[in-house]
Amino acid sequence: GESVGLHLPTLSVQEGDNSIINCAYSNSASDYFIWYKQESGKGPQFIIDIRSNMDKRQGQRVTVLLNKTVKHLSLQIAATQPGDSAVYFCAENSGGGADGLTFGKGTHLIIQP
Amino acid sequence: ETGVTQTPRHLVMGMTNKKSLKCEQHLGHNAMYWYKQSAKKPLELMFVYSLEERVENNSVPSRFSPECPNSSHLFLHLHTLQPEDSALYLCASSQVADYSYEQYFGPGTRLTVT
């Protein structure tokens, strides 16, 4: 079936550098995408979302880019900090209403001092 | 905190036991969800309740039985589980509305089946 996936299971970056986490999706009907961060021992926490009628959205130190042509989603984290260490998931909602989200496998972001 | 609480946080049960997981949301949302998170696998949607009615059941085995007595509470009743059911069980809630799909997650219940 169609699914959301990520390119890398682990990403290691130097503290202070920018991080880019990628996600590929296959459901062209998806109209909403969301990034979650999950720290050890906690549930997923919302970071940022984007609708399909946009190609870029910025938050505090984070930017989400959406390329519908190649069905690609990315999360950019500026000036990565130790507190950014976590597993990052992209997810999509293509059904509308109270449908659950379809998640990718996650990328573990490791911050090197 | 996200406004979604789950109890217990950790549970160890035998294959013949019966137990229940509890979720409570304090956000005034009208939809609640159960997800299963296994190691190295994506989160799997198990059940969706919208306005206290179940709207989705993704082929979950009958040994998992959800209950949603009101919009703030969600239970997952467990019986005769298998070792492969060991996982983190996450509850989430959302306010169903146009263009609003953000879900708020609880901390999860770490379940170990022995």
Side-chain angles (χ1 to χ4, degrees):
Chain A
E2 297 181 295
S3 63
V4 180
L6 288 168
H7 296 304
L8 292 173
T10 302
L11 176 65
S12 183
V13 300
Q14 291 291 126
E15 182 178 348
D17 287 352
N18 296 336
S19 302
I20 300 176
I21 301 171
N22 295 304
C23 181
Y25 66 96
S26 57
N27 189 344
S28 56
S30 294
D31 62 357
Y32 175 85
F33 304 88
I34 190 167
W35 281 99
Y36 279 94
K37 170 186 179 183
Q38 187 174 22
E39 297 174 274
S40 180
K42 297 183 179 180
Q45 180 183 8
F46 171 86
I47 301 174
I48 193 168
D49 59 2
I50 188 168
R51 299 203 60 84
S52 58
N53 60 353
M54 303 171 68
D55 54 20
K56 180 179 180 179
R57 191 163 187 224
Q58 289 185 293
Q60 187 177 13
R61 276 201 311 119
V62 295
T63 301
V64 56
L65 299 177
L66 175 64
N67 185 331
K68 295 181 287 293
T69 301
V70 295
K71 298 190 185 70
H72 184 267
L73 189 70
S74 68
L75 176 71
Q76 300 178 3
I77 304 173
T80 311
Q81 303 170 356
D84 295 328
S85 181
V87 178
Y88 290 80
F89 297 93
C90 64
E92 63 180 325
N93 180 307
S94 56
D99 286 350
L101 297 170
T102 301
F103 282 81
K105 292 184 180 179
T107 292
H108 186 191
L109 181 63
I110 299 171
I111 313 303
Q112 303 285 358
Chain B
E1 297 301 324
T2 62
V4 181
T5 59
Q6 291 186 243
T7 55
R9 294 293 309 276
H10 300 271
L11 178 63
V12 179
M13 59 186 291
M15 295 168 61
T16 58
N17 291 158
K18 289 185 179 181
K19 296 287 184 182
S20 295
L21 309 185
K22 179 183 177 181
C23 176
E24 183 174 1
Q25 59 97 359
H26 312 273
L27 302 167
H29 288 165
N30 58 12
M32 298 187 76
Y33 311 80
W34 280 117
Y35 287 88
K36 175 183 179 182
Q37 187 175 33
S38 303
K40 303 187 188 304
K41 293 176 68 176
L43 272 73
E44 302 171 58
L45 177 65
M46 300 176 70
F47 299 105
V48 180
Y49 276 84
S50 178
L51 301 174
E52 301 163 36
E53 292 188 6
R54 188 192 306 182
V55 295
E56 186 163 344
N57 174 354
N58 282 355
S59 302
V60 179
S62 60
R63 56 186 183 269
F64 295 91
S65 175
E67 179 189 1
C68 187
N70 56 61
S71 60
S72 299
H73 294 86
L74 185 66
F75 295 90
L76 188 62
H77 304 298
L78 316 171
H79 64 97
T80 60
L81 293 192
Q82 305 298 311
E84 60 265 29
D85 296 322
S86 298
L88 182 68
Y89 288 84
L90 290 160
C91 172
S93 71
S94 72
Q95 181 64 23
V96 177
D98 288 343
Y99 306 111
S100 174
Y101 301 129
E102 181 184 347
Q103 295 180 16
Y104 293 76
F105 284 84
T109 294
R110 174 67 62 185
L111 174 67
T112 302
V113 181
T114 61

